[in-house]
Amino acid sequence: MSERLRLFVIALFWLIALQAGLGQQDRTLRIAAAADLEPVLPALMAEFHSQTGLNIEASYASSATLATQIINGGPFDLFLSADMSFPQRVIDAGLADSASPMPYAQGTLVLWARNDSPIQNLSLDVLRAPSLGKVAVADASHAPYGRAAKAAIESLGLTDALKDKLVIAENIAQTAQFVESGNAEIGFISLTSAVTPRLKSAGRYVEAPASSYPPILQGAVVIKNSSHRDEAHKFLDFLGSATARSQLSERGLKAP
């Protein structure tokens, strides 16, 4: 083989490899996912990948933060929010390919405490105890579970009693970190966090009455300018499948 031919073959090899790499990169679906989905999505993404071969990357944050990132040009294909209002903001900005968010799940608010907490009999009544320490909640202006916690506290008539005891977290995942680490004695977190193996073994929870807060209906939108709109819609369809519904239920999310 001549030197010129050898160099041509090498160049052709690297060109094919580069195109394959770019093709693989182009086959990546990027999801902006609410923080309550962090314990939930990885298994579902793996299942979807096994069915389709499509790679998926998820970025987790509060729904408000993700909506802002998308409106500011964040490179996402699909937005899975923890409520309906933040995807509606994306729609109102003209960036979604639908006129309304698609509900894909419903969340549950719980009160969680560590096993080594001085609170022995966990119930919502412990929130009335004068000796109660700090209570972790997500920021109601950023996180739908924070709004739910605020509503539950108001429903219980404890707004004034707890106002100096609240520890405010950026999102629901950080709320769980606060109470698990001991920065708060007790906390309002998502059921998706409470049923993870780590928190399930480290503590216990009680559900807040459904009547004490508005339903946490979680909505999704596909980004209009995405080059993977078809794949994003396929993933949404997958979330509505019997297989995905079963996994969502096991991990703390009800059908909408």
Side-chain angles (χ1 to χ4, degrees), residues 113-123 126 185-186 204 206:
R114 297 182 311 281
N115 287 326
D116 61 0
S117 166
I119 299 168
Q120 295 302 311
N121 298 312
L122 182 61
S123 72
V126 304
E185 188 170 286
I186 201 167
R204 56 205 189 281
V206 293

Side-chain angles (χ1 to χ4, degrees), residues 8 25 31 37 41 47 54 77 80 103 108 130 141 144 146 183 214-215 224 229 252:
F8 173 78
Q25 186 179 30
I31 300 178
L37 296 175
L41 270 190
E47 175 70 21
L54 183 69
D77 304 301
L80 298 178
T108 299
S141 65
N183 288 322
K224 183 170 63 177
R229 286 169 61 180

Side-chain angles (χ1 to χ4, degrees), residues 13-23:
F13 171 81
W14 283 113
L15 178 61
I16 292 172
L18 177 62
Q19 289 177 336
L22 290 174

